[in-house]
Amino acid sequence: MIGRRGFLKFFGSSIVGLMTLGGYAFGYEPVVRLSIARYQLTPPGWTPGLKLRIVALADFHACTPWMTADRIASICARANDLGGDIIVLLGDYTSGTDFVTGHVDHRVWAAELAALKAPLGVHAIVGNHDWWHDATAQKRGAGPTFSHKALADVGIPVYSNRSARLEKDGYGFWLAGVEDQLALRRSVRWKRQFTTGLDDLSGTLAQVNDVAPVILLAHEPDIFPTVPSRVSLTLSGHTHGGQVRVFGWSPYLPSRYGDRYVYGHIVEENRHIIVSGGLGCSVAPVRVGVPPEIVVIDLG
């Protein structure tokens, strides 16, 4: 039987352990750590000879104290140093948690993102929180949201069910971006019974008019089962890799497919998707086992 001294020692060490874990989960991993997740692949339909480096940033969730303007600036500086041919932003620039000391204005975070530079430019989509926190867009059931406007105002094109043809070293490829799949929130106030998406995958891909490979930007990875093989690679965020992940298990996964598309490079029926672990926090300002990350993808 454990004695009083032994119990108190065990209890004390447990409290210290919990405090240490809590400090790490709330104060270190979300706001200090920054990892680089690297992938290298040649997906189906990729043009021989075309080598492309993509730097992808997802889920900033700007707010204080977890994702300040200074923190965004430092992430952008690191992204610029990674040698990307193109930089893509995968949505959710606004705060995703109520546990904040303040909000970072959309004009402020957009100004920091304007520092991103790449030879083939910076290209963006928006996410569900960009829609959900814009009451005007929710009321009218249509965009643009303040995130659309803020990005456009600093010269970053936003893809809302749009495809554009780009070229590197004489080789063409398409960048396609769908509007958010959860854009219009279920609301008694707005007389909306169900959360509704504004994504139009077929209409977006109908704009592709040659055989060059297609890279699809879609904030939520749940679209992936419907993505045709014509798309060489899908890039998504939204899940934060589970945000808390212990021995491969996460207590909460914001996907109707559970763990299927939670993180990383997934291949199904010779179709490829890479899901970023993201940079910020949603629901609760905590990260364990899924540090904020910048994604670097070398294609070809």
Side-chain angles (χ1 to χ4, degrees):
M1 178 181 291
I2 186 170
R4 181 174 179 270
R5 182 185 294 271
F7 171 78
L8 291 176
K9 185 177 181 180
F10 171 77
F11 180 76
S13 62
S14 298
I15 292 297
V16 170
L18 288 172
M19 291 175 65
T20 301
L21 177 61
Y24 176 86
F26 283 89
Y28 181 74
E29 187 155 309
V31 297
V32 176
R33 285 196 68 186
L34 181 63
S35 66
I36 310 298
R38 296 182 182 271
Y39 302 92
Q40 187 170 5
L41 64 149
T42 303
W46 195 252
T47 303
L50 172 57
K51 295 187 179 298
L52 184 71
R53 172 168 286 188
I54 303 170
V55 174
L57 305 172
D59 303 289
F60 278 94
H61 290 295
C63 64
T64 58
W66 316 110
M67 184 61 71
T68 64
D70 287 345
R71 169 78 164 155
I72 295 171
S74 68
I75 290 170
C76 291
R78 184 72 180 96
N80 284 339
D81 290 339
L82 293 171
D85 298 305
I86 186 171
I87 295 176
V88 297
L89 306 176
L90 299 176
D92 273 5
Y93 311 97
T94 60
S95 176
T97 175
D98 293 330
F99 296 95
V100 301
T101 58
H103 294 279
V104 178
D105 187 84
H106 55 279
R107 289 160 293 196
V108 174
W109 57 251
E112 300 299 344
L113 295 180
L116 291 166
K117 304 296 179 186
L120 297 180
V122 182
H123 307 260
I125 56 174
V126 301
N128 58 303
H129 285 280
D130 301 306
W131 280 93
W132 291 359
H133 294 282
D134 189 328
T136 301
Q138 289 294 309
K139 180 179 180 179
R140 67 172 176 251
T145 67
F146 55 70
S147 291
H148 286 89
K149 296 174 185 175
L151 290 163
D153 285 348
V154 296
I156 297 175
V158 183
Y159 289 63
S160 178
N161 298 324
R162 181 170 73 91
S163 296
R165 194 179 192 278
L166 304 174
E167 192 172 290
K168 186 200 173 190
D169 299 331
Y171 298 102
F173 67 95
W174 289 86
L175 191 66
V178 291
E179 193 49 81
D180 191 69
Q181 302 155 59
L182 303 172
L184 303 179
R185 203 170 192 176
R186 181 180 63 182
S187 170
V188 173
R189 182 182 181 187
W190 309 128
K191 298 180 181 178
R192 193 176 296 127
Q193 291 184 316
F194 305 100
T195 296
T196 306
L198 294 176
D199 53 305
D200 180 3
L201 179 60
S202 60
T204 301
L205 297 181
Q207 300 165 38
V208 175
N209 58 20
D210 63 19
V211 297
V214 179
I215 299 166
L216 175 68
L217 312 181
H219 180 66
E220 294 90 359
D222 284 14
I223 199 173
F224 188 58
T226 65
V227 174
S229 58
R230 175 68 181 86
V231 173
S232 293
L233 177 64
T234 301
L235 301 178
S236 295
H238 182 66
T239 65
H240 302 197
Q243 198 164 295
V244 173
R245 199 153 182 84
V246 181
F247 302 116
W249 173 81
S250 295
Y252 172 71
L253 297 170
S255 167
R256 65 178 182 273
Y257 294 102
D259 205 62
R260 185 171 166 183
Y261 305 123
V262 68
Y263 178 74
H265 181 199
I266 301 121
V267 182
E268 289 185 353
E269 300 176 353
N270 209 26
R271 297 172 304 117
H272 293 248
I273 183 172
I274 292 174
V275 182
S276 169
L279 293 157
C281 297
S282 183
V283 183
V286 57
R287 275 183 176 261
V288 176
V290 191
E293 70 176 23
I294 299 172
V295 176
V296 178
I297 306 150
D298 287 303
L299 298 176

